[in-house]
Amino acid sequence: MEPIISIRKLCKQYGEKTVLDNISLDIYPGQIIGYIGPNGAGKSTTVKVLTGVITDYTGTVLVNGKDIKEDILALKQMIGYVPEVAELYDLLTPNEYLHFVGALYNMPDNIIAERSSRILSSFGLLDNLNQRMDGFSKGMRQKVLLTAGILHNPAIVILDEPMSGLDANAVIVVKELMQVLKNEGKTIFYCSHMMDVVEKVSDRIVLIDKGQIIANDTIEALREGSSDSLEKIFAQMTTTENLNQTAGNIASALNDQADKIAL
């Protein structure tokens, strides 16, 4: 089987700072990839490269066998993207916003309307279909973003903290949705700090730190026969600090300050 995404020697710099340092990675159809790393490790930059937002990089990125730089608009038809933070058009309703998004993908109006109503109904937002989004909560906005990201039925779904702000039931729905899409042969590229979810849903876990991939394997292989959680493995691989001691230092600083105030 050929990889649907193939990255070779990907590098990206901002001035003198190297954000991505010679990354190579193959991702296959029907896989859920958990892409994790500390803040500033290069996760968001990788996503921006894959979605065509960043083009001034070195190396090669192939999507479905084609260089992403050669025909980015055609390849974007294959990709659905749900960002962690996005600016919605507050004065629009979900119905108007999703019709706008669907039109960008040249979708017929009747298909946009049917999919929008069915997906939003599943998220419990059907009654809000024609309400302006300026009064929506973060969770409601996230549900609209999720709907927009999969509206055109993409082969590749890139999720950047997709459960941010969602209630418990919606989190379960999104987890199950990833499995359904995977079973349909779609590829899920999932960035998150929710280690318990990443551990449960991912076929492979890719750990990036300081711009380099330092692990790429199944959770079972990463454990190496232990029963360690992904959270513990993550901490072991990305820091030399004693995190319990760090937490103790923070608490101690608060207590010391409280003692001074009391005096």
Side-chain angles (χ1 to χ4, degrees):
M1 180 185 297
E2 293 295 319
I4 193 165
I5 298 174
S6 183
I7 299 172
R8 290 292 178 273
K9 298 182 178 179
L10 174 62
C11 296
K12 169 62 183 171
Q13 288 185 301
Y14 292 105
E16 295 183 357
K17 182 179 180 181
T18 300
V19 181
L20 295 177
D21 187 6
N22 208 35
I23 285 179
S24 294
L25 178 66
D26 285 329
I27 301 171
Y28 293 87
Q31 282 190 333
I32 299 176
I33 301 299
Y35 196 62
I36 62 175
N39 291 335
K43 300 188 303 298
S44 294
T45 302
T46 307
V47 167
K48 289 176 181 177
V49 170
L50 290 176
T51 54
V53 176
I54 291 176
T55 57
D56 57 335
Y57 58 84
T58 61
T60 304
V61 180
L62 304 180
V63 176
N64 202 30
K66 298 179 181 178
D67 193 313
I68 199 168
K69 286 184 176 180
E70 293 179 0
D71 194 354
I72 185 59
L73 289 180
L75 293 175
K76 280 186 175 182
Q77 294 281 345
M78 298 179 59
I79 297 172
Y81 175 41
V82 180
E84 179 182 8
V85 179
E87 293 295 333
L88 293 172
Y89 297 101
D90 283 350
L91 297 183
L92 297 182
T93 67
N95 188 35
E96 292 168 338
Y97 176 73
L98 293 171
H99 270 80
F100 167 68
V101 171
L104 295 176
Y105 290 102
N106 298 314
M107 295 174 60
D109 284 345
N110 63 319
I111 300 297
I112 298 171
E114 179 184 358
R115 288 184 183 173
S116 297
S117 61
R118 290 180 64 181
I119 297 171
L120 289 178
S121 177
S122 298
F123 280 131
L125 286 186
L126 187 59
D127 291 342
N128 308 99
L129 183 63
N130 294 302
Q131 293 179 3
R132 285 189 356 181
M133 293 187 287
D134 55 350
F136 278 21
S137 68
K138 178 173 176 55
M140 294 169 72
R141 290 167 175 264
Q142 194 67 14
K143 291 173 183 179
V144 175
L145 287 172
L146 281 161
T147 304
I150 62 175
L151 188 66
H152 59 296
N153 195 25
I156 301 167
V157 182
I158 298 176
L159 304 173
D160 191 357
E161 297 288 358
M163 301 177 193
S164 178
L166 295 182
D167 57 73
N169 287 335
V171 168
I172 294 171
V173 170
V174 174
K175 287 164 60 177
E176 292 298 324
L177 175 61
M178 284 194 279
Q179 293 294 336
V180 171
L181 295 177
K182 166 194 164 179
N183 292 338
E184 292 178 354
K186 301 183 187 303
T187 302
I188 314 296
F189 190 83
Y190 174 40
C191 302
S192 180
H193 291 293
M194 298 175 65
M195 296 296 163
D196 57 333
V197 178
V198 173
E199 180 176 338
K200 290 176 182 176
V201 305
S202 302
D203 296 301
R204 296 185 71 83
I205 295 167
V206 179
L207 176 54
I208 182 173
D209 190 26
K210 298 181 178 66
Q212 296 182 326
I213 291 176
I214 61 174
N216 176 12
D217 220 320
T218 64
I219 182 61
E220 291 80 12
L222 292 176
R223 284 186 177 129
E224 295 182 338
S226 73
S227 58
D228 289 348
S229 66
L230 179 58
E231 184 178 74
K232 185 172 182 180
I233 295 169
F234 178 90
Q236 291 170 342
M237 288 187 170
T238 60
T239 183
T240 57
E241 298 178 7
N242 184 319
L243 299 184
N244 289 334
Q245 183 62 48
T246 301
N249 291 340
I250 295 171
S252 176
L254 296 174
N255 290 331
D256 290 346
Q257 190 64 32
D259 291 342
K260 291 179 182 179
I261 292 173
L263 293 173

